[in-house]
Coordinates of all heavy atoms in Angstrom, one line a residue:
D289 N -6.0 26.9 -1.8 CA -5.7 25.6 -2.3 C -5.1 24.6 -1.3 O -4.4 25.0 -0.4 CB -4.7 25.7 -3.4 CG -5.3 26.2 -4.7 OD1 -6.5 26.1 -4.9 OD2 -4.5 26.7 -5.6
V290 N -5.5 23.4 -1.4 CA -5.1 22.3 -0.5 C -4.1 21.5 -1.3 O -4.4 21.1 -2.4 CB -6.2 21.5 0.1 CG1 -5.7 20.4 0.9 CG2 -7.2 22.4 0.9
C291 N -3.0 21.2 -0.7 CA -2.0 20.3 -1.5 C -1.3 19.4 -0.4 O -1.2 19.8 0.7 CB -1.0 21.1 -2.3 SG 0.1 22.1 -1.4
G292 N -0.7 18.4 -0.9 CA 0.1 17.5 -0.1 C 1.6 17.5 -0.6 O 1.8 17.9 -1.7
C293 N 2.5 17.1 0.2 CA 3.9 17.1 -0.1 C 4.4 15.7 -0.4 O 5.6 15.5 -0.4 CB 4.7 17.8 1.0 SG 4.2 19.5 1.4
S294 N 3.6 14.8 -0.7 CA 4.0 13.4 -1.0 C 3.9 13.2 -2.5 O 3.2 13.9 -3.2 CB 3.0 12.4 -0.3 OG 3.1 12.6 1.1
P295 N 4.6 12.2 -2.9 CA 4.5 11.9 -4.4 C 3.0 11.5 -4.7 O 2.3 11.0 -3.9 CB 5.4 10.6 -4.5 CG 6.2 10.6 -3.3 CD 5.5 11.3 -2.2
G296 N 2.7 11.7 -6.0 CA 1.3 11.4 -6.4 C 1.2 9.9 -6.9 O 0.1 9.4 -7.0
T297 N 2.3 9.4 -7.3 CA 2.4 8.0 -7.9 C 3.5 7.2 -7.2 O 4.6 7.7 -7.0 CB 2.6 8.0 -9.4 OG1 1.6 8.8 -10.0 CG2 2.6 6.7 -10.0
F298 N 3.1 5.9 -6.9 CA 4.1 5.0 -6.3 C 4.2 3.8 -7.1 O 3.2 3.3 -7.6 CB 3.6 4.6 -4.9 CG 3.5 5.7 -3.9 CD1 2.4 6.5 -3.8 CD2 4.6 6.0 -3.0 CE1 2.3 7.5 -2.9 CE2 4.5 7.1 -2.1 CZ 3.4 7.8 -2.0
T299 N 5.4 3.3 -7.3 CA 5.6 2.0 -8.0 C 6.1 1.0 -7.0 O 7.1 1.3 -6.3 CB 6.6 2.2 -9.2 OG1 6.0 3.1 -10.1 CG2 6.8 0.8 -9.9
F300 N 5.5 -0.1 -6.9 CA 5.8 -1.2 -6.0 C 6.4 -2.4 -6.8 O 5.8 -2.7 -7.8 CB 4.6 -1.6 -5.2 CG 4.0 -0.6 -4.3 CD1 3.0 0.3 -4.8 CD2 4.4 -0.4 -3.0 CE1 2.5 1.3 -4.0 CE2 3.8 0.6 -2.2 CZ 2.9 1.4 -2.7
T301 N 7.4 -3.0 -6.2 CA 8.0 -4.2 -6.8 C 7.9 -5.3 -5.7 O 8.4 -5.1 -4.6 CB 9.4 -4.0 -7.2 OG1 9.5 -3.0 -8.2 CG2 10.0 -5.3 -7.8
L302 N 7.3 -6.4 -6.0 CA 7.1 -7.5 -5.0 C 8.4 -8.3 -5.0 O 9.0 -8.6 -6.0 CB 6.0 -8.4 -5.4 CG 4.6 -7.7 -5.5 CD1 3.6 -8.8 -5.9 CD2 4.2 -7.1 -4.2
D303 N 8.9 -8.5 -3.7 CA 10.1 -9.3 -3.5 C 9.8 -10.3 -2.4 O 9.8 -9.9 -1.2 CB 11.3 -8.4 -3.2 CG 12.6 -9.2 -3.0 OD1 12.6 -10.4 -3.0 OD2 13.6 -8.5 -2.9
F304 N 9.5 -11.5 -2.7 CA 9.1 -12.5 -1.7 C 10.3 -13.0 -0.9 O 10.1 -13.8 0.0 CB 8.4 -13.7 -2.4 CG 7.1 -13.3 -3.1 CD1 6.5 -14.2 -4.0 CD2 6.5 -12.1 -2.8 CE1 5.3 -13.9 -4.6 CE2 5.3 -11.8 -3.5 CZ 4.7 -12.6 -4.4
S305 N 11.5 -12.6 -1.2 CA 12.6 -13.1 -0.4 C 12.8 -12.1 0.8 O 13.6 -12.4 1.7 CB 13.9 -13.1 -1.2 OG 14.3 -11.8 -1.6
R306 N 12.1 -11.1 0.9 CA 12.2 -10.1 2.0 C 11.5 -10.5 3.2 O 10.6 -11.3 3.2 CB 11.8 -8.7 1.5 CG 12.4 -8.2 0.2 CD 13.9 -7.9 0.4 NE 14.1 -6.9 1.4 CZ 14.1 -5.6 1.3 NH1 13.9 -5.1 0.1 NH2 14.3 -4.8 2.3
S307 N 11.7 -9.8 4.3 CA 11.0 -10.0 5.6 C 9.7 -9.2 5.6 O 9.5 -8.3 4.8 CB 11.9 -9.7 6.8 OG 12.1 -8.3 6.7
C308 N 8.8 -9.6 6.4 CA 7.5 -9.0 6.5 C 7.3 -8.5 7.9 O 7.4 -9.3 8.9 CB 6.4 -10.0 6.1 SG 4.8 -9.3 6.2
P309 N 7.1 -7.2 8.2 CA 7.1 -6.1 7.2 C 8.5 -5.7 6.9 O 9.4 -6.0 7.6 CB 6.3 -5.0 8.0 CG 6.6 -5.2 9.4 CD 6.7 -6.8 9.5
P310 N 8.6 -5.0 5.8 CA 10.0 -4.6 5.3 C 10.6 -3.6 6.3 O 9.8 -2.8 6.9 CB 9.8 -3.9 4.0 CG 8.3 -3.6 3.9 CD 7.6 -4.6 4.8
T311 N 11.9 -3.6 6.5 CA 12.5 -2.7 7.5 C 13.3 -1.6 6.8 O 13.8 -0.7 7.5 CB 13.5 -3.5 8.3 OG1 14.4 -4.1 7.5 CG2 12.7 -4.6 9.1
D312 N 13.3 -1.5 5.5 CA 14.2 -0.5 4.9 C 13.4 0.6 4.1 O 13.9 1.3 3.3 CB 15.2 -1.1 3.9 CG 14.5 -1.8 2.8 OD1 13.3 -2.1 2.8 OD2 15.2 -2.1 1.8
I313 N 12.1 0.7 4.3 CA 11.3 1.7 3.7 C 11.5 3.0 4.5 O 11.2 3.0 5.7 CB 9.8 1.3 3.6 CG1 9.7 0.2 2.6 CG2 9.0 2.5 3.1 CD1 8.3 -0.3 2.5
Q314 N 11.9 4.1 3.9 CA 12.2 5.3 4.6 C 10.9 6.0 4.8 O 10.2 6.4 3.9 CB 13.1 6.2 3.8 CG 14.5 5.6 3.7 CD 15.5 6.4 3.0 OE1 15.1 7.6 2.6 NE2 16.7 6.0 2.7
K315 N 10.6 6.3 6.1 CA 9.4 7.1 6.4 C 9.7 8.5 6.1 O 10.8 9.0 6.2 CB 9.0 6.8 7.8 CG 8.5 5.4 8.0 CD 8.0 5.1 9.4 CE 7.6 3.7 9.4 NZ 7.8 3.0 10.6
G316 N 8.6 9.3 5.8 CA 8.8 10.7 5.5 C 8.9 11.0 4.0 O 9.1 12.1 3.6
T317 N 8.9 9.9 3.2 CA 8.9 10.1 1.8 C 7.5 9.7 1.2 O 7.4 9.1 0.1 CB 10.0 9.2 1.1 OG1 9.7 7.8 1.5 CG2 11.4 9.6 1.6
G318 N 6.5 10.1 1.9 CA 5.1 9.8 1.5 C 4.6 8.5 2.1 O 3.5 8.2 1.9
V319 N 5.4 7.9 3.0 CA 5.0 6.7 3.6 C 5.0 6.9 5.1 O 6.1 7.2 5.7 CB 5.9 5.5 3.2 CG1 5.5 4.2 4.0 CG2 5.8 5.2 1.7
E320 N 3.9 6.8 5.8 CA 3.9 6.9 7.2 C 4.0 5.6 7.9 O 4.7 5.5 8.9 CB 2.5 7.5 7.6 CG 2.3 7.6 9.1 CD 3.1 8.6 9.9 OE1 3.6 9.6 9.2 OE2 3.4 8.4 11.1
K321 N 3.4 4.5 7.4 CA 3.5 3.2 8.0 C 3.3 2.1 7.0 O 2.6 2.3 6.0 CB 2.4 3.1 9.1 CG 2.4 1.9 9.9 CD 1.3 1.9 10.9 CE 1.3 0.6 11.7 NZ 0.2 0.5 12.6
T322 N 4.0 1.0 7.2 CA 3.8 -0.1 6.3 C 3.3 -1.3 7.2 O 3.6 -1.4 8.4 CB 5.1 -0.5 5.6 OG1 6.0 -0.9 6.6 CG2 5.6 0.6 4.8
S323 N 2.6 -2.2 6.6 CA 2.3 -3.4 7.3 C 2.0 -4.5 6.2 O 1.8 -4.2 5.1 CB 1.0 -3.3 8.1 OG -0.1 -3.0 7.3
C324 N 2.1 -5.7 6.6 CA 1.8 -6.8 5.7 C 1.3 -8.0 6.5 O 1.6 -8.1 7.7 CB 3.0 -7.2 4.9 SG 4.4 -8.0 5.7
L325 N 0.5 -8.8 5.9 CA -0.1 -10.0 6.6 C 0.1 -11.1 5.6 O -0.4 -11.1 4.5 CB -1.5 -9.7 6.9 CG -2.3 -10.9 7.4 CD1 -1.8 -11.4 8.7 CD2 -3.8 -10.6 7.4
V326 N 0.8 -12.2 6.1 CA 1.0 -13.4 5.3 C 0.2 -14.5 6.1 O 0.5 -14.7 7.2 CB 2.4 -13.7 5.1 CG1 2.6 -15.0 4.3 CG2 3.2 -12.6 4.4
S327 N -0.7 -15.1 5.4 CA -1.5 -16.2 6.1 C -1.6 -17.4 5.2 O -1.7 -17.3 4.0 CB -2.8 -15.7 6.5 OG -3.6 -15.3 5.4
P328 N -1.6 -18.6 5.8 CA -1.7 -19.8 5.0 C -3.1 -20.1 4.6 O -4.1 -19.7 5.2 CB -1.2 -20.9 6.0 CG -1.6 -20.3 7.3 CD -1.5 -18.8 7.2
F329 N -3.2 -20.8 3.4 CA -4.5 -21.3 3.0 C -4.5 -22.8 3.4 O -3.5 -23.5 3.2 CB -4.7 -21.2 1.5 CG -4.9 -19.7 1.1 CD1 -3.8 -19.0 0.5 CD2 -6.1 -19.1 1.3 CE1 -4.0 -17.7 0.2 CE2 -6.3 -17.8 0.9 CZ -5.2 -17.1 0.3
G330 N -5.6 -23.3 3.9 CA -5.7 -24.7 4.2 C -5.0 -25.0 5.5 O -5.2 -24.3 6.5
A331 N -4.3 -26.1 5.6 CA -3.7 -26.6 6.8 C -2.6 -25.6 7.4 O -1.9 -25.0 6.6 CB -3.0 -28.0 6.5
P332 N -2.5 -25.5 8.7 CA -1.5 -24.7 9.3 C -0.1 -25.1 8.9 O 0.2 -26.3 8.6 CB -1.7 -24.9 10.8 CG -3.1 -25.5 10.9 CD -3.4 -26.2 9.7
T333 N 0.8 -24.1 8.8 CA 2.1 -24.3 8.4 C 3.0 -23.3 9.0 O 2.6 -22.2 9.3 CB 2.3 -24.3 6.8 OG1 3.6 -24.6 6.5 CG2 1.9 -23.0 6.2
D334 N 4.3 -23.6 9.1 CA 5.3 -22.6 9.6 C 6.0 -21.9 8.4 O 6.7 -20.9 8.6 CB 6.4 -23.3 10.4 CG 5.8 -23.7 11.8 OD1 4.8 -23.2 12.2 OD2 6.4 -24.7 12.4
N335 N 5.8 -22.5 7.2 CA 6.4 -21.9 6.0 C 5.5 -20.9 5.4 O 4.6 -21.2 4.7 CB 6.8 -23.0 5.0 CG 7.4 -22.4 3.7 OD1 7.7 -21.2 3.7 ND2 7.7 -23.3 2.8
L336 N 5.7 -19.6 5.7 CA 4.8 -18.6 5.2 C 5.5 -17.7 4.1 O 5.2 -16.6 4.0 CB 4.4 -17.7 6.4 CG 3.5 -18.4 7.4 CD1 3.1 -17.4 8.5 CD2 2.3 -19.0 6.8
S337 N 6.4 -18.4 3.3 CA 7.0 -17.7 2.2 C 6.0 -17.7 1.1 O 5.6 -18.8 0.6 CB 8.3 -18.3 1.8 OG 9.2 -18.3 2.8
P338 N 5.6 -16.5 0.6 CA 4.5 -16.5 -0.5 C 5.1 -17.1 -1.8 O 6.3 -17.0 -2.1 CB 4.2 -15.1 -0.6 CG 5.3 -14.3 0.0 CD 5.9 -15.2 1.0
I339 N 4.2 -17.6 -2.6 CA 4.5 -18.1 -4.0 C 3.8 -17.1 -4.9 O 4.4 -16.8 -6.0 CB 4.1 -19.5 -4.2 CG1 4.8 -20.4 -3.2 CG2 4.2 -20.0 -5.6 CD1 4.3 -21.8 -3.1
V340 N 2.6 -16.8 -4.6 CA 1.8 -15.9 -5.4 C 1.0 -15.0 -4.5 O 0.5 -15.5 -3.4 CB 1.0 -16.6 -6.4 CG1 0.0 -17.5 -5.7 CG2 0.3 -15.7 -7.4
V341 N 0.7 -13.8 -4.9 CA -0.2 -12.9 -4.2 C -1.4 -12.7 -5.1 O -1.3 -12.4 -6.2 CB 0.5 -11.5 -3.9 CG1 -0.5 -10.5 -3.4 CG2 1.7 -11.6 -3.0
E342 N -2.5 -12.9 -4.4 CA -3.8 -12.8 -5.2 C -4.6 -11.5 -5.0 O -5.6 -11.3 -5.6 CB -4.7 -14.0 -4.9 CG -4.0 -15.3 -5.4 CD -4.8 -16.6 -5.2 OE1 -5.8 -16.5 -4.4 OE2 -4.5 -17.6 -5.7
G343 N -4.1 -10.7 -4.0 CA -4.8 -9.5 -3.8 C -4.0 -8.6 -2.9 O -3.3 -9.0 -2.0
I344 N -4.0 -7.3 -3.2 CA -3.3 -6.3 -2.4 C -4.3 -5.2 -2.1 O -5.1 -4.7 -3.0 CB -2.1 -5.7 -3.1 CG1 -1.1 -6.8 -3.4 CG2 -1.5 -4.5 -2.4 CD1 0.1 -6.4 -4.2
S345 N -4.4 -4.7 -0.9 CA -5.3 -3.6 -0.5 C -4.5 -2.4 -0.1 O -3.5 -2.5 0.7 CB -6.2 -4.0 0.7 OG -7.1 -5.0 0.3
I346 N -4.8 -1.3 -0.7 CA -4.1 0.0 -0.4 C -5.1 0.9 0.2 O -6.2 1.1 -0.4 CB -3.5 0.6 -1.7 CG1 -2.4 -0.4 -2.2 CG2 -2.9 2.0 -1.4 CD1 -1.8 0.1 -3.5
L347 N -4.8 1.4 1.4 CA -5.6 2.3 2.1 C -4.9 3.7 2.2 O -3.8 3.7 2.6 CB -6.0 1.8 3.5 CG -6.6 0.5 3.6 CD1 -6.8 0.1 5.0 CD2 -7.9 0.4 2.9
E348 N -5.6 4.8 1.9 CA -5.1 6.1 2.2 C -6.0 6.7 3.3 O -7.2 6.6 3.2 CB -5.2 7.0 0.9 CG -4.1 6.6 -0.1 CD -4.0 7.7 -1.1 OE1 -3.4 8.8 -0.8 OE2 -4.3 7.4 -2.3
L349 N -5.3 7.2 4.3 CA -6.0 7.7 5.5 C -5.9 9.2 5.5 O -4.9 9.8 5.1 CB -5.4 7.1 6.7 CG -5.3 5.6 6.8 CD1 -4.7 5.1 8.1 CD2 -6.7 4.9 6.6
D350 N -7.0 9.8 6.1 CA -6.9 11.3 6.3 C -6.2 11.6 7.6 O -5.6 10.7 8.2 CB -8.3 11.9 6.2 CG -9.2 11.5 7.3 OD1 -8.7 10.9 8.3 OD2 -10.4 11.8 7.2
Q351 N -6.2 12.8 8.0 CA -5.5 13.3 9.1 C -6.0 12.7 10.4 O -5.2 12.8 11.4 CB -5.6 14.9 9.2 CG -4.9 15.5 8.0 CD -3.4 15.3 8.0 OE1 -2.7 15.5 9.0 NE2 -2.9 15.0 6.8
V352 N -7.2 12.2 10.5 CA -7.7 11.5 11.7 C -7.8 10.0 11.5 O -8.6 9.4 12.2 CB -9.0 12.2 12.2 CG1 -8.8 13.6 12.6 CG2 -10.1 12.1 11.1
N353 N -7.1 9.5 10.5 CA -7.0 8.0 10.2 C -8.3 7.4 9.8 O -8.6 6.2 9.9 CB -6.5 7.2 11.5 CG -5.1 7.6 11.7 OD1 -4.3 7.9 10.8 ND2 -4.7 7.6 13.0
S354 N -9.2 8.2 9.1 CA -10.3 7.7 8.4 C -9.9 7.3 7.0 O -9.2 8.0 6.4 CB -11.5 8.7 8.4 OG -11.9 9.0 9.7
V355 N -10.5 6.2 6.5 CA -10.1 5.8 5.2 C -10.8 6.7 4.2 O -12.0 6.9 4.2 CB -10.6 4.3 4.9 CG1 -10.4 3.9 3.5 CG2 -9.9 3.4 5.9
I356 N -10.0 7.3 3.3 CA -10.6 8.2 2.3 C -10.5 7.5 0.9 O -11.2 7.9 0.0 CB -9.9 9.6 2.2 CG1 -8.4 9.5 2.1 CG2 -10.3 10.4 3.5 CD1 -7.7 10.8 1.9
V357 N -9.5 6.6 0.7 CA -9.4 5.8 -0.5 C -9.1 4.4 -0.1 O -8.2 4.1 0.7 CB -8.3 6.3 -1.4 CG1 -8.2 5.4 -2.6 CG2 -8.6 7.8 -1.8
E358 N -9.8 3.4 -0.7 CA -9.4 2.0 -0.6 C -9.4 1.4 -2.0 O -10.4 1.5 -2.7 CB -10.4 1.3 0.3 CG -10.1 -0.2 0.5 CD -11.0 -0.9 1.5 OE1 -11.9 -0.3 2.0 OE2 -10.8 -2.1 1.7
E359 N -8.3 0.9 -2.4 CA -8.2 0.3 -3.7 C -7.6 -1.1 -3.5 O -6.7 -1.3 -2.8 CB -7.2 1.1 -4.6 CG -7.2 0.6 -6.0 CD -6.5 1.5 -7.0 OE1 -6.6 2.7 -6.8 OE2 -5.8 0.9 -7.9
R360 N -8.3 -2.0 -4.2 CA -7.9 -3.4 -4.2 C -7.3 -3.7 -5.6 O -7.9 -3.4 -6.6 CB -9.1 -4.3 -3.9 CG -8.9 -5.7 -4.0 CD -9.0 -6.4 -2.7 NE -8.8 -7.8 -2.9 CZ -8.0 -8.6 -2.2 NH1 -7.3 -8.0 -1.2 NH2 -7.9 -9.8 -2.4
I361 N -6.2 -4.4 -5.5 CA -5.5 -4.8 -6.7 C -5.6 -6.3 -6.7 O -5.0 -7.0 -5.8 CB -4.0 -4.3 -6.8 CG1 -4.0 -2.8 -6.8 CG2 -3.3 -4.9 -8.0 CD1 -2.7 -2.2 -6.5
D362 N -6.3 -6.9 -7.7 CA -6.5 -8.3 -7.7 C -5.7 -8.9 -8.9 O -5.5 -8.2 -9.9 CB -8.0 -8.7 -7.9 CG -8.8 -8.4 -6.6 OD1 -8.3 -8.8 -5.6 OD2 -9.8 -7.7 -6.7
G363 N -5.4 -10.2 -8.8 CA -4.7 -10.9 -9.9 C -3.6 -11.7 -9.3 O -3.2 -11.6 -8.1
S364 N -3.0 -12.5 -10.1 CA -1.9 -13.4 -9.6 C -0.6 -12.7 -9.8 O -0.1 -12.5 -11.0 CB -1.9 -14.7 -10.4 OG -3.0 -15.5 -10.1
L365 N 0.0 -12.2 -8.7 CA 1.2 -11.4 -8.8 C 2.4 -12.3 -8.2 O 2.2 -12.9 -7.1 CB 1.1 -10.1 -8.0 CG 0.0 -9.2 -8.5 CD1 -0.2 -8.1 -7.5 CD2 0.4 -8.6 -9.8
L366 N 3.5 -12.3 -8.9 CA 4.6 -13.1 -8.5 C 5.8 -12.2 -8.0 O 5.8 -11.0 -8.3 CB 5.1 -14.0 -9.7 CG 4.0 -14.9 -10.4 CD1 4.6 -15.5 -11.6 CD2 3.5 -15.9 -9.4
S367 N 6.7 -12.8 -7.4 CA 7.9 -12.1 -7.0 C 8.6 -11.5 -8.2 O 8.7 -12.1 -9.2 CB 8.9 -13.0 -6.3 OG 10.0 -12.3 -5.7
G368 N 8.9 -10.2 -8.1 CA 9.5 -9.4 -9.2 C 8.4 -8.6 -10.0 O 8.8 -7.7 -10.7
D369 N 7.2 -9.0 -9.9 CA 6.1 -8.2 -10.5 C 6.0 -6.8 -9.9 O 6.3 -6.6 -8.7 CB 4.7 -8.9 -10.4 CG 4.6 -10.1 -11.3 OD1 5.5 -10.3 -12.2 OD2 3.6 -10.8 -11.1
T370 N 5.6 -5.8 -10.7 CA 5.5 -4.5 -10.3 C 4.0 -4.0 -10.5 O 3.3 -4.5 -11.4 CB 6.4 -3.5 -11.0 OG1 6.1 -3.5 -12.3 CG2 7.9 -3.9 -10.7
F371 N 3.6 -3.0 -9.7 CA 2.3 -2.3 -10.0 C 2.5 -0.9 -9.6 O 3.3 -0.6 -8.7 CB 1.1 -3.0 -9.3 CG 1.2 -3.0 -7.8 CD1 0.6 -1.9 -7.1 CD2 1.8 -4.0 -7.1 CE1 0.6 -1.9 -5.7 CE2 1.8 -3.9 -5.7 CZ 1.2 -2.9 -5.0
T372 N 1.7 0.0 -10.2 CA 1.8 1.4 -9.9 C 0.4 1.8 -9.2 O -0.6 1.4 -9.6 CB 2.0 2.2 -11.2 OG1 3.2 1.8 -11.7 CG2 2.1 3.7 -10.9
Y373 N 0.5 2.6 -8.2 CA -0.6 3.1 -7.5 C -0.6 4.7 -7.6 O 0.4 5.3 -7.3 CB -0.7 2.7 -6.0 CG -1.8 3.4 -5.3 CD1 -3.1 3.0 -5.5 CD2 -1.5 4.4 -4.4 CE1 -4.1 3.6 -4.8 CE2 -2.6 5.1 -3.7 CZ -3.9 4.7 -4.0 OH -4.9 5.3 -3.3
T374 N -1.7 5.3 -8.0 CA -1.8 6.7 -8.1 C -2.6 7.2 -6.9 O -3.8 6.8 -6.7 CB -2.4 7.2 -9.4 OG1 -1.6 6.7 -10.5 CG2 -2.5 8.7 -9.5
S375 N -2.0 8.0 -6.1 CA -2.6 8.5 -4.8 C -3.7 9.6 -5.2 O -3.7 10.2 -6.2 CB -1.6 9.2 -4.0 OG -2.1 9.9 -2.9
I376 N -4.6 9.8 -4.2 CA -5.6 10.8 -4.3 C -4.9 12.2 -4.4 O -5.5 13.1 -5.0 CB -6.5 10.8 -3.1 CG1 -7.7 11.7 -3.3 CG2 -5.8 11.1 -1.8 CD1 -8.8 11.7 -2.2
L377 N -3.7 12.3 -4.0 CA -2.9 13.5 -4.1 C -2.6 13.9 -5.5 O -2.3 15.1 -5.8 CB -1.6 13.5 -3.3 CG -1.7 13.4 -1.8 CD1 -0.4 13.2 -1.2 CD2 -2.3 14.7 -1.3
A378 N -2.7 13.0 -6.5 CA -2.4 13.3 -7.9 C -3.4 14.1 -8.5 O -3.2 14.7 -9.5 CB -2.2 12.0 -8.6
D379 N -4.6 14.1 -7.9 CA -5.8 14.9 -8.5 C -6.2 15.9 -7.4 O -7.0 15.5 -6.5 CB -6.9 13.9 -8.8 CG -8.1 14.7 -9.4 OD1 -8.0 15.9 -9.6 OD2 -9.2 14.1 -9.5
S380 N -5.7 17.1 -7.5 CA -6.0 18.1 -6.5 C -7.5 18.4 -6.3 O -7.9 18.8 -5.3 CB -5.2 19.4 -6.8 OG -5.6 19.9 -8.0
N381 N -8.3 18.1 -7.4 CA -9.7 18.3 -7.3 C -10.4 17.3 -6.4 O -11.5 17.5 -6.0 CB -10.3 18.3 -8.7 CG -9.9 19.4 -9.5 OD1 -9.7 20.5 -9.0 ND2 -9.7 19.2 -10.8
S382 N -9.7 16.2 -6.1 CA -10.3 15.1 -5.2 C -10.2 15.5 -3.7 O -10.9 14.9 -2.9 CB -9.6 13.8 -5.4 OG -9.8 13.4 -6.7
I383 N -9.4 16.5 -3.4 CA -9.2 16.8 -2.0 C -9.9 18.2 -1.8 O -9.5 19.2 -2.5 CB -7.7 16.9 -1.7 CG1 -7.0 15.6 -1.9 CG2 -7.5 17.4 -0.2 CD1 -5.5 15.6 -1.8
T384 N -10.8 18.2 -0.9 CA -11.6 19.5 -0.7 C -11.3 20.1 0.6 O -11.6 21.3 0.8 CB -13.1 19.2 -0.8 OG1 -13.5 18.2 0.1 CG2 -13.5 18.7 -2.3
T385 N -10.7 19.4 1.6 CA -10.4 20.0 2.8 C -9.0 19.6 3.3 O -8.5 18.5 2.8 CB -11.4 19.6 4.0 OG1 -11.2 18.2 4.2 CG2 -12.8 19.9 3.6
A386 N -8.3 20.4 4.1 CA -7.0 20.0 4.6 C -7.0 18.7 5.4 O -6.0 17.9 5.4 CB -6.4 21.1 5.5
R387 N -8.1 18.4 6.0 CA -8.2 17.1 6.8 C -8.1 15.9 5.9 O -7.6 14.8 6.3 CB -9.6 17.1 7.5 CG -9.8 15.8 8.2 CD -11.2 15.8 8.9 NE -11.5 14.5 9.2 CZ -12.6 14.1 9.8 NH1 -13.6 15.0 10.1 NH2 -12.9 12.9 10.1
Q388 N -8.5 16.0 4.6 CA -8.4 14.9 3.7 C -7.0 14.6 3.2 O -6.8 13.6 2.6 CB -9.3 15.2 2.4 CG -10.8 15.1 2.8 CD -11.6 15.3 1.5 OE1 -11.4 16.3 0.9 NE2 -12.5 14.4 1.2
V389 N -6.0 15.5 3.4 CA -4.7 15.2 2.9 C -4.1 14.0 3.6 O -4.0 14.0 4.9 CB -3.8 16.5 3.1 CG1 -2.3 16.1 2.6 CG2 -4.3 17.7 2.3
P390 N -3.7 13.0 2.9 CA -3.2 11.8 3.5 C -1.9 12.1 4.3 O -1.2 13.0 3.9 CB -2.9 10.8 2.4 CG -3.7 11.3 1.2 CD -3.9 12.8 1.5

């Protein structure tokens, strides 16, 4: 049997008052790396504080950094909104080799 030691489900809460990328996410709790990209629409600006998020991409990588899951969450998300993501690890039948363990 192949299994992972990370949580199967993650709940995210958006907080637009925070810095990008966040500095207080503890690595080793199922999170290897975080990143974020904030970009303006239209004219260039120095004010990159988001008002609404229209899409979030979540990638799960295998042991050699190949994408094994890519999920896009679309919709108008505001500061304080939450969403839940269920990892490939939640379904042990989805993982067939040790290499696929994120």
Side-chain angles (χ1 to χ4, degrees):
D289 282 342
V290 177
C291 66
C293 300
S294 298
T297 302
F298 297 87
T299 299
F300 297 89
T301 302
L302 301 179
D303 183 350
F304 296 166
S305 68
R306 305 292 305 269
S307 63
C308 178
T311 57
D312 65 343
I313 294 178
Q314 295 180 5
K315 294 182 177 145
T317 56
V319 176
E320 173 71 23
K321 183 177 179 183
T322 63
S323 66
C324 66
L325 172 66
V326 178
S327 61
F329 290 102
T333 180
D334 291 336
N335 180 5
L336 296 179
S337 297
I339 297 170
V340 63
V341 171
E342 294 181 349
I344 296 172
S345 294
I346 297 177
L347 304 175
E348 287 194 68
L349 308 178
D350 67 12
Q351 297 294 313
V352 293
N353 293 328
S354 296
V355 175
I356 55 173
V357 175
E358 180 174 1
E359 184 169 326
R360 175 113 176 132
I361 298 167
D362 291 310
S364 294
L365 300 168
L366 305 172
S367 188
D369 285 349
T370 63
F371 66 91
T372 301
Y373 173 74
T374 301
S375 170
I376 191 174
L377 290 175
D379 179 10
S380 60
N381 293 325
S382 295
I383 300 172
T384 57
T385 68
R387 177 182 164 181
Q388 288 179 307
V389 176

